[in-house]
Amino acid sequence: MCSEEFERNTVAALAKLKRMKPAEVTLVHHDDADGLCSAAITKTALEREGFRVRTFCLEKAYPEVVEDLHKHVNETIIYCDIGSAHSDFISKVNASRNLTIILDHHHDPPEVTDPMVFDLNLERFGFAGDTEFSGATCNYLFARTLNKANIDLSYLALVASREIPSGIVGLNKKVLEEALESGVAKSEERKIVIVKLGTSVNDLFAKLQILGAVGYYEGGPELGIQACLTGITEQVRARVKQWEEKRKAVNKRLIGWLYRQRLKEMEHLQWF
């Protein structure tokens, strides 16, 4: 499905991971639907192999946080749907102390100089991260290389790919074909339905977008990862409704504030 070079690099990273046998893997992930799906895929795949995984959600790869993560020795850190845009900085602060794997899709990643940092962003292997694959697609292909049984997680790459405006093309189309052929997903009334969860790709995507970002400080990312794996429960529906109402209220106040105070304008800056 993917390039031989990606598979070689992934196999090398996995071989190092298995040799190190870390007591715990720190999994850093983004807070949007793609980040939650990416985290759910890689967390599940690693736990199936006997690794203990600690998830850590970030809105952005803040330099201070990245430095703190890499100050220890012999840690294992995996970035999911985040980190590739700062792979040069991650290389610098890691300084060969920790095995670091980046599974991302952001465009034009900088050079990696640390041999302990494996940036497996498919942009590096000839694919376009803004059209052909999501962060979760990269995570899924990593999980599939680890163990082909992880094909049952393919639906999460499809959910995350809803963020790509061009639709399901390129690698994402191949993942869709694989998910349909294996019975992980099915096409039903112009919708792609996740068989084991009984919900559509679109519905899960919409709810994850609220859980991760709006519920960021109230356990939303953790609940989102759970929803990725076990479906949209009544608890998830209630929290999504609560946070969506909260988001709308904040937006309404913001619009009112802008209407009253207007934008302030300078030569190169607009602010309020």
Side-chain angles (χ1 to χ4, degrees), residues 148-163:
K148 284 186 170 56
N150 290 323
I151 192 174
D152 66 333
L153 300 171
S154 56
Y155 68 91
L156 289 170
L158 302 179
V159 173
S161 296
R162 290 297 304 149
E163 75 172 20

Side-chain angles (χ1 to χ4, degrees), residues 5-33:
E5 190 180 0
F6 170 82
E7 290 192 4
R8 279 199 306 272
N9 280 268
T10 301
V11 168
L14 287 170
K16 190 158 284 192
L17 175 64
K18 290 174 181 177
R19 282 199 305 272
M20 291 180 67
K21 297 180 181 177
E24 183 177 71
V25 175
T26 299
L27 196 156
V28 183
H29 65 94
H30 199 206
D31 67 340
D32 63 0

Side-chain angles (χ1 to χ4, degrees), residues 2 6 10 27-39 41-42 58-61 66 77-88 90 100-110 112 117-143 160-161 163-164 171-172:
C2 199
F6 170 82
T10 301
L27 196 156
V28 183
H29 65 94
H30 199 206
D31 67 340
D32 63 0
D34 194 5
L36 298 180
C37 289
S38 297
I41 291 169
T42 300
L58 275 181
E59 179 194 10
K60 295 178 183 177
V66 173
I77 304 164
I78 300 181
Y79 290 88
C80 299
D81 187 42
I82 196 169
S84 194
H86 309 285
S87 54
D88 52 348
I90 290 171
T100 304
I101 301 171
I102 303 173
L103 303 166
D104 200 357
H105 71 125
H106 293 99
H107 185 59
D108 199 19
V112 172
V117 176
F118 292 81
D119 186 358
L120 301 176
N121 184 342
L122 289 158
E123 280 263 344
R124 297 188 184 276
F125 308 103
F127 299 94
D130 55 348
T131 57
E132 292 189 272
F133 69 99
S134 63
T137 303
C138 186
N139 280 264
Y140 168 62
L141 293 174
F142 175 82
S161 296
E163 75 172 20
I164 298 177
L171 281 173
N172 289 333

Side-chain angles (χ1 to χ4, degrees), residues 10-269:
T10 301
V11 168
L14 287 170
K16 190 158 284 192
L17 175 64
K18 290 174 181 177
R19 282 199 305 272
M20 291 180 67
K21 297 180 181 177
E24 183 177 71
V25 175
T26 299
L27 196 156
V28 183
H29 65 94
H30 199 206
D31 67 340
D32 63 0
D34 194 5
L36 298 180
C37 289
S38 297
I41 291 169
T42 300
K43 180 177 186 291
T44 302
L46 291 174
E47 288 177 342
R48 286 173 175 176
E49 301 297 319
F51 293 101
R52 191 173 69 178
V53 181
R54 174 176 71 101
T55 59
F56 182 46
C57 185
L58 275 181
E59 179 194 10
K60 295 178 183 177
Y62 298 106
E64 298 85 353
V65 176
V66 173
E67 281 189 277
D68 190 62
L69 281 168
H70 288 267
K71 71 183 180 183
H72 305 290
V73 180
N74 294 328
E75 300 280 336
T76 298
I77 304 164
I78 300 181
Y79 290 88
C80 299
D81 187 42
I82 196 169
S84 194
H86 309 285
S87 54
D88 52 348
F89 179 71
I90 290 171
S91 292
K92 180 182 175 182
V93 298
N94 189 59
S96 293
R97 283 192 290 263
N98 307 294
L99 173 61
T100 304
I101 301 171
I102 303 173
L103 303 166
D104 200 357
H105 71 125
H106 293 99
H107 185 59
D108 199 19
E111 184 182 358
V112 172
T113 55
D114 184 348
M116 287 291 283
V117 176
F118 292 81
D119 186 358
L120 301 176
N121 184 342
L122 289 158
E123 280 263 344
R124 297 188 184 276
F125 308 103
F127 299 94
D130 55 348
T131 57
E132 292 189 272
F133 69 99
S134 63
T137 303
C138 186
N139 280 264
Y140 168 62
L141 293 174
F142 175 82
R144 192 170 170 273
T145 304
L146 176 62
N147 191 325
K148 284 186 170 56
N150 290 323
I151 192 174
D152 66 333
L153 300 171
S154 56
Y155 68 91
L156 289 170
L158 302 179
V159 173
S161 296
R162 290 297 304 149
E163 75 172 20
I164 298 177
S166 58
I168 295 180
V169 299
L171 281 173
N172 289 333
K173 187 175 181 181
K174 292 182 180 180
V175 173
L176 173 60
E177 290 168 356
E178 189 171 78
L180 292 172
E181 287 172 9
S182 62
V184 172
K186 63 181 179 179
S187 182
E188 189 176 278
E189 298 178 356
R190 297 186 178 182
K191 295 186 296 186
I192 301 170
V193 176
I194 304 158
V195 172
K196 80 167 186 175
L197 302 184
T199 189
S200 73
V201 161
N202 288 1
D203 191 26
L204 182 55
F205 174 81
K207 287 176 171 55
L208 292 176
Q209 288 287 77
I210 296 166
L211 289 168
V214 188
Y216 186 81
Y217 294 106
E218 300 177 65
E222 293 78 13
L223 191 58
I225 292 173
Q226 179 185 320
C228 284
L229 301 170
T230 60
I232 302 169
T233 62
E234 287 306 312
Q235 180 194 14
V236 169
R237 291 185 192 281
R239 296 298 266 170
V240 166
K241 182 180 178 183
Q242 174 193 348
W243 286 329
E244 178 65 353
E245 289 172 354
K246 185 176 181 180
R247 184 182 69 83
K248 287 179 179 178
V250 170
N251 283 348
K252 188 175 180 180
R253 288 202 303 273
L254 178 60
I255 294 299
W257 189 6
L258 278 170
Y259 180 78
R260 291 190 303 273
Q261 298 196 18
R262 306 294 181 184
L263 279 174
K264 310 293 190 294
E265 294 190 33
M266 300 173 68
E267 185 179 359
H268 302 292
L269 183 68

